[in-house]
DNA sequence: AGTCTCTGATTAAACGTTTAAGCACGCATA
DNA sequence: TATGCGTGCTTAAACGTTTAATCAGAGACT
């Protein structure tokens, strides 16, 4: 009834060579004591017979499935492709598969999703928590990707420093009255970014923070943010904490006839898919997702490795949550066309786009 | 060495009740012959002991892992979150886990990724092929989500009809000279959408198709598309085949001082995350991803179910690729603010945004 | 009373691997 | 020559299920 797996098993190799299955196992894994010649013969026979090991059987015997769970509490997040790609890549390099769990933003569903992953016997999980949700201690190693200021964080981009880079960039361009735009006031990541922005802009800059969720709670989802009024009130830069908000700001300002970047500058975060192709292309700050994923997976590997050991060095694993020695990865400022010098009273050049610059990146 | 699984196993329940493990299995699965009272006692004991079945052991015995593979050849696709969410949801409703495989746009990597999924013993896979790639016959059931006009397609949105809806919408608004914007000429999905658009616009409409890949091959990535010239040449509507291209068009036009929708209309496809929040909000066509995922998973379930049967009814499974009887799911036109009546010579109202309408959706 | 059938359980094998323990042999050492 | 030891392999058990085969007992029929 069970569909016969393709290829053959160890017994087939063993039979073909007149040895025992255990020897085949040892030969292929290089663990036991097997003569070099036999190892070679086994390897050859394995290839000849198209042997593919049963990960299921191995999992049953060893208790390790070779699978990691990836929990993205807010899968609608446009960052998801980047994260998923980086994690999948790092995990598969480490020989692991990635099982996804979605919780559609709901906390209860998230718990249930984590439960399903546990039932499936994942060896560990990578969790990107939503809005600073604390992850309870579950029965397996967990790597948390949030922000360095979150307790229990394993590794993440240095959001604060990224904000500071952007703040300095704007300050250099002469912006002294800046509107900071975030979506949710309860997001640790966004608060870090805003903190960095303020620090980078310097103490003399006049900053105001707008939380889109609050505005929408009053005026409805997708409502105008009233940015034209802000521009009229003297704000010369709009620094959003996400490229999605930046895009929203950009189009709203353009629509109101306010030229970007001649009259006001607009910046975002994350270098999302549309950022390079909109007009003007968005100046933003990019995470090094590959590096973050590598560190997260590496920390997870260490935790899995040292699991089951008799309470050895306790400095690495605390309550199943792993930490990385380098827990913050630098962000990278990407200067494009949406930022320009501060122009308090925009004049006749308001409609003249600036030319794209040759070197787009600036560390 | 192996980390002891949490909870207990069947033998523990059996021992606690003084029965055999097989009886416990039968009781819980409802398969063998067990007295109703005993079934109840077993259930109670299972809960009491916090029993959680080992899916690994079950997989080893039955040959079914309860895991499906999801292959997204182009994970950078902004549609990915929608797809992943829908598939994960449908699969987990059916009791399946979802293992992701990314191939970063590369064909060789895709083959390798599929291989890894097979090694992991997935029971089936959902594949969203890139640009009409033919999926070779691999050793397990496969559901292909592409477009109805692709041979071997299992289920997908009716892209052609969605294009037709949009075409009719534009025609009703009086647009007779329309620029169709696609990215890749080799995409079946995009060609279907464009075909539908032309049909919906009617034979009298003057259409021109611009392929962004071709333009970029000459002028570089992220280059301007020269849409202002097109507008000057009398095009009153720009119908992109993806919201990403639509966004690119929208910002380029706005930047050039061309009012949307007063002077020209802009439309997209897929209702991506930014579409409702940009100004003006994008008129687009939405896929019913949940329905598509449900049908794909259902087809996959049937194929898995009937697998291993002695070449029975051959009408459902052909060469491992499953087909669904309803293989095309209608798309839904979402009218927002980026479309308006055709205005050949835009006059003084070019800068007056139209008010958001109350009822956003229109079937 | 003897045979048959149905019920409710048990026994045992199987899935494919890993791994601890054991065994036979050759070789060096005492 | 006996003791010890390292080498190269085998045996057997184990992981936790599922499932075919079997079996004891009870009631119904001839």
């Amino acid at each position: 009834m069970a569909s016969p797996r393709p290829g053959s098993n160890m017994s087939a190799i063993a039979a073909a060579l007149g040895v025992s299955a255990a020897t085949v196992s040892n030969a292929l894994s290089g663990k036991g004591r097997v003569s070099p010649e036999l190892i070679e013969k086994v390897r050859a026979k394995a290839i000849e017979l198209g042997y593919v090991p049963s990960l299921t059987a191995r999992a049953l015997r060893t208790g390790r499935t070779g699978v990691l769970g990836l929990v993205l509490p807010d899968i609608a997040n446009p960052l998801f492709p980047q994260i998923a790609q980086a994690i999948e890549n790092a995990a598969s390099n480490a020989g692991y598969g990635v099982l996804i769990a979605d919780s559609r933003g709901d906390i209860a569903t998230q718990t249930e999703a984590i439960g399903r992953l546990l039932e499936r016997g994942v060896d560990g999980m990578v969790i990107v928590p939503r809005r600073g949700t604390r992850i309870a201690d579950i029965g397996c190693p967990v790597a948390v990707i949030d922000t360095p200021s979150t307790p229990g964080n394993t590794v993440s981009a240095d959001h604060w420093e990224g904000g500071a880079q952007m703040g300095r960039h704007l300050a250099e361009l002469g912006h002294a009255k800046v509107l900071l735009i975030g979506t949710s006031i309860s997001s640790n990541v966004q608060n870090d970014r805003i903190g960095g922005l303020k620090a980078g802009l310097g103490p003399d800059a006049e900053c105001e923070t707008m939380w889109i969720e609050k505005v929408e709670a009053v005026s409805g989802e997708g409502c105008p943010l009233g940015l034209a009024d802000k521009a009229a009130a003297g704000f010369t830069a709009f620094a959003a904490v996400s490229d999605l908000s930046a895009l929203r700001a950009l189009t709203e300002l353009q629509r109101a006839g306010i030229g970007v970047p001649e009259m006001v500058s607009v910046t975002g975060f994350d270098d999302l898919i549309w950022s390079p192709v909109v007009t003007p292309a968005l100046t933003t700050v990019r995470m090094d997702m590959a590096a973050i994923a590598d560190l997260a997976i590496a920390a997870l590997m260490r935790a899995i490795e040292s699991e089951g050991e008799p309470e050895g060095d306790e400095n690495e694993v605390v309550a199943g949550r792993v930490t990385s020695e380098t827990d913050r990865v630098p962000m990278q400022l990407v200067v494009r066309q949406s930022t320009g010098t501060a122009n308090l009273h925009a004049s006749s050049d308001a409609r003249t786009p600036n030319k794209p610059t040759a070197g787009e990146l600036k560390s």
Side-chain angles (χ1 to χ4, degrees), chain A:
Chain A
M1 172 154 291
S3 51
R5 295 192 333 106
S8 46
N9 54 18
M10 284 192 163
S11 316
I13 302 181
L17 259 55
V19 298
S20 76
T23 302
V24 175
S25 173
N26 284 330
L28 292 177
S29 69
K31 282 201 168 180
R33 293 181 301 215
V34 190
S35 68
E37 315 91 74
L38 186 47
I39 290 189
E40 214 29 66
K41 287 208 302 192
V42 168
R43 285 221 183 101
K45 207 66 181 176
I47 293 176
E48 180 190 332
L49 296 182
Y51 169 69
V52 30
S54 160
L55 299 187
T56 307
R58 180 177 300 165
L60 178 58
R61 176 63 227 244
T62 63
R64 301 261 181 85
T65 53
V67 172
L68 302 178
L70 174 60
V71 183
L72 275 295
D74 194 357
I75 206 174
N77 190 320
L79 253 178
F80 182 62
Q82 283 186 36
I83 299 179
Q85 175 163 31
I87 293 288
E88 199 273 340
N89 190 25
S92 93
N93 283 344
Y96 277 77
V98 177
L99 215 40
I100 58 172
D102 173 30
S103 47
R104 292 171 284 287
D106 187 44
I107 289 292
T109 321
Q110 167 174 334
T111 313
E112 186 200 320
I114 291 180
R116 278 202 308 270
L117 288 181
L118 284 178
E119 281 187 29
R120 287 234 137 70
V122 294
D123 294 339
M125 13 203 318
V126 177
I127 302 187
V128 183
R130 166 189 164 87
R131 293 189 192 166
T133 316
R134 295 276 309 192
I135 302 300
D137 184 25
I138 56 187
C140 80
V142 170
V144 176
I145 301 182
D146 192 4
T147 169
S149 65
T150 301
N153 183 68
T154 303
V155 59
S156 68
D158 194 339
H159 299 284
W160 195 96
E161 202 271 334
Q165 281 188 50
M166 183 62 86
R168 288 194 297 272
H169 171 62
L170 290 173
E172 281 169 13
L173 292 172
H175 294 279
K177 188 164 182 183
V178 178
L179 185 70
L180 309 178
I181 306 175
T183 53
S184 168
I185 199 170
S186 57
S187 157
N188 288 341
V189 168
Q190 297 195 14
N191 277 300
D192 279 10
R193 290 175 172 183
I194 283 184
L197 276 166
K198 286 179 178 166
L201 284 163
D204 299 333
E206 186 181 340
C207 294
E208 183 184 322
T209 305
M210 166 186 280
W211 295 105
I212 292 183
E213 267 190 7
K214 287 190 178 175
V215 177
E216 288 190 331
V218 176
S219 314
E221 279 190 26
C223 65
L225 302 175
L227 300 186
D229 294 347
K230 294 293 182 184
F235 284 94
T236 63
F238 297 81
V241 111
S242 152
D243 278 355
L244 184 56
S245 305
L247 178 62
R248 191 165 171 174
L250 172 66
T251 53
E252 184 173 330
L253 288 163
Q254 278 188 330
R255 174 74 183 151
I258 299 172
V260 178
E262 308 85 37
M263 299 176 73
V264 300
S265 291
V266 173
T267 70
F269 258 91
D270 292 340
D271 196 16
L272 298 181
I273 181 123
W274 59 81
S275 304
V277 298
V278 294
T279 306
L282 272 177
T283 291
T284 188
V285 182
R286 184 192 293 161
M287 303 205 226
D288 189 348
M289 259 304 170
I292 294 172
D294 285 345
L295 287 169
I297 297 297
L300 221 39
M301 296 297 100
R302 281 199 306 274
I304 292 173
E305 218 57 45
S306 71
E307 206 188 16
E309 280 176 11
E311 296 296 321
D313 40 357
E314 190 74 16
N315 51 356
E316 249 183 2
V317 185
V318 180
R321 208 168 296 121
V322 291
T323 57
S324 167
E325 66 283 352
T326 53
D327 64 344
R328 60 186 67 198
V329 176
M331 296 189 83
Q332 189 181 35
L333 179 64
V334 182
V335 178
R336 295 205 181 96
Q337 283 83 53
S338 69
T339 44
T341 53
N343 227 353
L344 277 186
H345 298 285
S347 49
S348 58
D349 66 340
R351 298 240 148 266
T352 309
N354 64 348
K355 295 283 179 290
T357 57
E360 226 189 17
L361 252 53
K362 172 182 169 182
S363 80

